[in-house]
Amino acid sequence: RASSRVSRNSGARTQIQAFGYTFTVDDAMAATPTPEEGKYKDIPSILPLAPGGVYAVKWEQREKWAQCIETPEVPYTPPLGEPNPNNPLCFFEVRSGGYYLGRVVFELKADTHPITAENFVKLCEYRCYAGTMFKVFPGNWIRGGDFTELDDIVYDANDPDFFDFASLLPDAAPGGQSIYVTESGPYFDDENVDAYSHDGPGVLTMYNPGAPNCNGSQFMITFSRVEPEVLDGSHVAFGQVVEGWNVLAALEQLGDARQEGLTFQRITVEQCGVVRHGK
C-alpha cells in the first residue's frame, strides 16, 4: 500500500510525496488570518424567493476572511465519545451564500483508523478540500470532498490557500481520490468498518459509490435523524465533529427535501487545515 510522506525543512515549506507526485507547499496556515489575507472577492448570495426554483442573486463584495454570521448554539455531544487527545484534529472554514458561517473541527480516529485518518489529515493539510462544496440531504447527512467539482466563484488556483489541481494533479479521478496511489488505482480499502455505528449527529464517515473498498476523498457527516443501519457495515466511520456543530446544523436548513443534495445557497469549504497532528 502506498502512503504519503512529509519532510520538514528549515524554512516554512514542506516537501510532500503523495498522489504519485512530489511537490512543495507552504506549511499549514495560522488559525488567525493576517491583514494581508484580507482580500476581496465578489460572491453571489442566492436567495430563494419561492418553492420550485425561483431565486434572486445578489452580488456581495466582502472580505475573504469575513466576520462570522452567528449561528444559534444547539445541544450536541460528540457521538463517538470523549475525544482522544492523541488523535489529530482538522478544521473547515464554512461559507454559504458568500457569508462566513464559522469553523468546524473534526477529531480523526487515528487510534482505530490510522490509514483513513491519515488520508483526511493530508487532504486537509494540502488544502485539497478548500473550494469544495457540500451537498445536503436533510435528516440524513452532508456529503463533501469532491475536489474535481470546485466552487469556481471562490476557488483560485493562483491563491496559495488553494491546491493547484491543474498543475499538481491534472489527472485526478472523477469525484476525487485518496492520497494512496497503487497499481489498482487511487482508492483504498475499507478499514475497521464495524468499529463505530453511525448513530447520531456528527459522525464523519467515508463516502463510497455503493461498492466496498472504494474510499477516495469524499466523506459524509451525519445529521440527527440518520438511520444507522443505512450506513453501518458499508461506510467507514472514522471521526467526529468536536467543535462547530451549530454551523452544520444550520446548513441542514438549506437542503432540498427531495434528498438530491441540492441546496438553496452554495455551501463551500473555503479554507481547511490541521489544528493538531496526532501522536
Side-chain angles (χ1 to χ4, degrees):
R1 185 186 303 275
S3 63
S4 66
R5 294 185 293 277
V6 177
S7 60
R8 301 287 179 182
N9 57 28
S10 58
R13 308 284 286 175
T14 300
Q15 294 289 330
I16 296 174
Q17 187 176 35
F19 305 116
Y21 297 85
T22 300
F23 47 88
T24 303
V25 299
D26 293 329
D27 282 349
M29 66 179 185
T32 303
T34 65
E36 290 74 19
E37 291 173 320
K39 306 168 187 175
Y40 287 83
K41 296 181 180 180
D42 289 328
I43 304 294
S45 294
I46 304 175
L47 310 176
L49 299 182
V54 180
Y55 301 98
V57 179
K58 179 179 66 174
W59 285 84
E60 305 277 347
Q61 186 183 70
R62 52 92 182 160
E63 287 186 82
K64 187 173 72 170
W65 292 86
Q67 183 175 357
C68 176
I69 294 177
E70 187 172 350
T71 54
E73 292 295 331
V74 294
Y76 176 75
T77 301
L80 304 185
E82 189 69 22
N84 183 338
N86 293 323
N87 279 337
L89 299 176
C90 293
F91 72 88
F92 288 167
E93 304 281 1
V94 180
R95 301 178 186 270
S96 173
Y99 297 99
Y100 174 55
L101 297 184
R103 171 174 286 202
V104 179
V105 179
F106 304 94
E107 177 202 10
L108 291 315
K109 292 293 186 180
D111 51 345
T112 56
H113 294 74
I115 295 171
T116 313
E118 177 77 355
N119 181 64
F120 193 89
V121 169
K122 288 298 181 284
L123 289 171
C124 286
E125 185 175 3
Y126 307 159
R127 304 187 181 97
C128 292
Y129 288 135
T132 61
M133 295 179 287
F134 281 161
K135 299 179 184 293
V136 177
F137 302 82
N140 291 307
W141 49 73
I142 289 172
R143 177 177 150 196
D146 180 358
F147 54 68
T148 64
E149 185 178 349
L150 297 166
D151 184 342
D152 55 4
I153 298 296
V154 172
Y155 178 76
D156 181 0
N158 297 316
D159 188 331
D161 285 342
F162 299 92
F163 189 93
D164 185 359
F165 290 100
S167 299
L168 300 173
L169 196 62
D171 299 320
Q177 66 182 65
S178 77
I179 64 171
Y180 306 110
V181 179
T182 66
E183 293 181 355
S184 58
Y187 308 105
F188 63 98
D189 291 347
D190 295 340
E191 179 184 27
N192 208 0
V193 69
D194 296 319
Y196 301 112
S197 175
H198 299 80
D199 189 9
V203 177
L204 178 64
T205 189
M206 293 300 295
Y207 170 79
N208 63 56
N213 304 320
C214 294
N215 299 291
S217 60
Q218 292 195 50
F219 58 85
M220 298 185 293
I221 307 164
T222 58
F223 285 132
S224 59
R225 291 178 289 150
V226 67
E227 297 179 1
E229 60 271 17
V230 175
L231 301 176
D232 287 354
S234 58
H235 295 263
V236 178
F238 68 100
Q240 62 182 343
V241 175
V242 293
E243 295 179 24
W245 175 250
N246 56 305
V247 173
L248 299 180
L251 295 183
E252 185 174 10
Q253 309 306 312
L254 298 177
D256 192 310
R258 291 173 293 184
Q259 297 294 321
E260 296 175 350
L262 302 176
T263 56
F264 293 113
Q265 294 183 349
R266 184 175 295 195
I267 303 169
T268 306
V269 177
E270 194 170 31
Q271 302 294 330
C272 63
V274 180
V275 176
R276 178 184 73 204
H277 287 277
K279 296 181 180 179

